[in-house]
Amino acid sequence: ARGHRVMTISPRYDQYKDAWDTGVAVEVKVGDSIEIVRFFHCYKRGVDRVFVDHPMFLEKVWGKTGSKIYGPKAGLDYLDNELRFSLLCQAALEAPKVLNLNSSNYFSGPYGEDVLFIANDWHTALIPCYLKSMYQSRGI
């Protein structure tokens, strides 16, 4: 509403039926392996909504009404949560640079490097660490 371009980034679980595949994929180092993530996108209420697509996210949900995103039951985490959310954080840092979104009459193209990240929960807590260690150290 104040003229800022806004993007939210979330894991792509099965309930985001409006999002379309951007065709953009990036490689992310998770643990000892390189994983490929794809980005899905929809534009709603003036916000670019980006979803990170990877089997590690989709395999944890059991349909729209039976989702168990963080663990098999309340209070018990999946063993790969750290890897999954590391993957999410790294993909979130790449999205503004690699996605060429032409969503509205006011904004188009990639966001670039002049962005502000808001890490609002433990799932995104690695974003400030990665910004400092992986990007700021390279002048980005």
Side-chain angles (χ1 to χ4, degrees), residues 30 56 59-60 68-73 75-86 122:
V30 179
M56 279 198 286
E59 70 188 10
K60 296 297 190 238
K68 301 293 182 191
I69 297 171
Y70 308 118
K73 64 180 186 175
L76 184 62
D77 290 339
Y78 288 122
L79 296 177
D80 67 348
N81 276 356
E82 292 86 359
L83 295 176
R84 290 189 306 134
F85 295 113
S86 169
W122 71 267

Side-chain angles (χ1 to χ4, degrees), residues 25-47:
V26 295
E27 292 182 349
V28 175
K29 187 174 188 325
V30 179
D32 294 329
S33 65
I34 301 293
E35 300 291 332
I36 296 174
V37 298
R38 298 182 67 80
F39 296 103
F40 280 64
H41 172 258
C42 68
Y43 187 75
K44 288 187 177 180
R45 296 182 170 171
V47 175

